Amino acid sequence: MHAQPDQMNLVLFVPADRPERVAKAAAAGADAIIVDLEDAVAPDARESARAGLADALNGVSCAVILRINPAGTKWHQADLATAATLPLNAVMLAKAESAETCADAARATRTPVIALIETARGIAQLDEIAGASARLAFGSIDYAADLGMGHTRQSLLGARSALVLAARLADQPAPLDGVTTAIRDDALIEDDCRHAVELGMGGKLIIHPAQLDAARRGFAPSQDELSWARRVLEAAKGRAAVQMDGAMIDAPVITRAKTLITRAGGTA
């Protein structure tokens, strides 16, 4: 298992207490699966779910992230001990609120930590958390509940932008955006992903395989964007600055064009 956190952009949740779903989730085509020991599992089922993880992950060929319970809960230490025995690509720390808990999780599991930001305290400690983790992810629904706000693009704009900025300052890959709760509304899922891209997010948490195709379209550049990017790179060959369509093309514009080509799966 060699995938790194920056290669896991569309990541699909599967409950840890439903081992029969793990293989199906792994075959769904996501960049990684998140085997969830937290919200998707009833509290009284978490111990048995943990005990069955080794068998559930046996033979899984895709990248695997294990979401563990927050620091300070009665399940956290046992989750860490189990994670250290499993073939994981990363652990996702639920309700990450300090750099110390992220660093502790990385040491205990010997695995990169994705810090799931779900609370006001997590946002308040964002820069420190980013410095102690491998990637940030946004638990937007829990965050909205924690602050008593609506789960809307307007209300969550500040938090999303804060995650993007903190990730960039920490030289992390761009954050993973929160879930879209509508499972089969392809137009909404795709539009949510385009909004995430607009803000600088690099991927998304997925709750059902049916969301994957629409999410992939949302993160892919449009044909107009790709055509523009190719024209920019062609016009800029061997030049520090040049005009195209009456607009100046210089280093930042070229960087954006290269980013679009890379997002489409090409090289620039």
Side-chain angles (χ1 to χ4, degrees), residues 32-201:
I33 59 172
I34 305 173
V35 182
D36 188 10
L37 278 170
E38 196 217 10
D39 284 349
V41 180
D44 60 359
R46 289 174 187 173
E47 184 175 350
S48 60
R50 194 186 305 117
L53 283 174
D55 287 341
L57 296 179
N58 185 35
V60 171
S61 58
C62 76
V64 177
I65 303 163
L66 182 67
R67 178 159 77 163
I68 61 175
N69 285 278
T73 64
K74 66 180 182 179
W75 306 281
H76 180 70
Q77 291 300 323
D79 286 355
L80 291 177
T82 298
T85 70
L86 298 172
L88 302 174
N89 296 86
V91 294
M92 176 176 281
L93 177 59
K95 296 179 177 62
E97 293 186 338
S98 73
E100 181 181 7
T101 56
C102 293
D104 287 347
R107 282 193 296 268
T109 62
R110 300 182 297 278
T111 306
V113 170
I114 298 173
L116 186 59
I117 305 300
E118 304 182 86
T119 64
R121 287 187 175 88
I123 289 289
Q125 298 296 319
L126 200 50
D127 290 345
E128 291 80 5
I129 291 170
S133 59
R135 194 168 189 179
L136 300 174
F138 189 28
S140 56
I141 295 175
D142 281 272
Y143 178 77
D146 187 46
L147 274 73
M149 60 169 55
H151 190 257
T152 65
R153 291 181 184 177
Q154 180 178 357
S155 67
L156 299 172
L157 176 61
R160 284 188 167 112
S161 296
L163 262 74
V164 171
L165 180 59
R168 180 66 190 92
L169 291 173
D171 289 325
Q172 280 192 7
L176 301 171
D177 196 17
V179 304
T180 297
T181 57
I183 291 174
R184 300 188 185 277
D185 188 337
D186 285 3
L188 175 61
I189 295 162
E190 183 173 340
D191 196 50
D192 277 355
C193 291
R194 294 203 179 281
H195 176 66
V197 171
E198 181 182 20
L199 296 180
M201 292 281 185

Side-chain angles (χ1 to χ4, degrees), residues 227-258:
S227 176
W228 173 84
R230 294 186 184 110
R231 290 176 60 226
V232 165
L233 296 182
E234 182 63 29
K237 281 183 178 178
R239 304 178 185 181
V242 65
Q243 286 192 31
M244 185 183 83
D245 300 337
M248 181 63 68
I249 298 171
D250 56 7
V253 178
I254 295 168
T255 297
R256 171 161 172 73
K258 289 180 177 179

